[in-house]
Amino acid sequence: MKTIIVTIAGALTLVACAAPATRISTGLQRYGLDEQRADCVGTRLQGDLSLGQLRQLGRAAAAYGKNDTSPGVLTVGDLLRVAGELRDPAIPLAVGKAAAGCGVMP
């Protein structure tokens, strides 16, 4: 399966009024993930992580891509790597479960 490119900064920015799952889904769709899988990932992450954890993941992912040749975009593999570097073990677990459960694996 072709690697899905996502912008995590946009997908996990949770300052607007929309529910986190909706914001995540919208960001993922913008970068090529079909609506069904994007909704699945958004719903799972919202259910498994707190708002603070989602923000932490979003900040880490945005920082990860700053020196990249295509800044602001991450592959699913990059997102899993970023999540694994955070000190909260629940975050990489939730990201991995969401990716696997929704069929969005690198």
Side-chain angles (χ1 to χ4, degrees):
M1 177 182 192
K2 197 172 180 185
T3 303
I4 305 296
I5 302 296
V6 297
T7 289
I8 248 343
L12 295 176
T13 300
L14 304 171
V15 295
C17 295
T22 302
R23 303 265 312 147
I24 294 166
S25 176
T26 300
L28 293 173
Q29 289 176 53
R30 196 174 318 127
Y31 292 95
L33 192 61
D34 63 87
E35 183 178 356
Q36 182 179 1
R37 289 189 296 164
D39 287 349
C40 178
V41 170
T43 299
R44 285 175 183 247
L45 289 179
Q46 178 179 310
D48 290 345
L49 298 175
S50 70
L51 198 55
Q53 289 170 315
L54 290 169
R55 286 185 179 133
Q56 183 181 2
L57 178 60
R59 283 191 304 269
Y64 179 83
K66 281 192 178 183
N67 295 323
D68 196 352
T69 56
S70 31
V73 294
L74 296 174
T75 65
V76 173
D78 292 336
L79 180 57
L80 290 167
R81 200 170 12 270
V82 166
E85 293 175 4
L86 298 172
R87 292 182 184 209
D88 185 340
I91 297 173
L93 180 62
V95 171
K97 283 175 34 182
C102 298
V104 186
M105 292 304 293

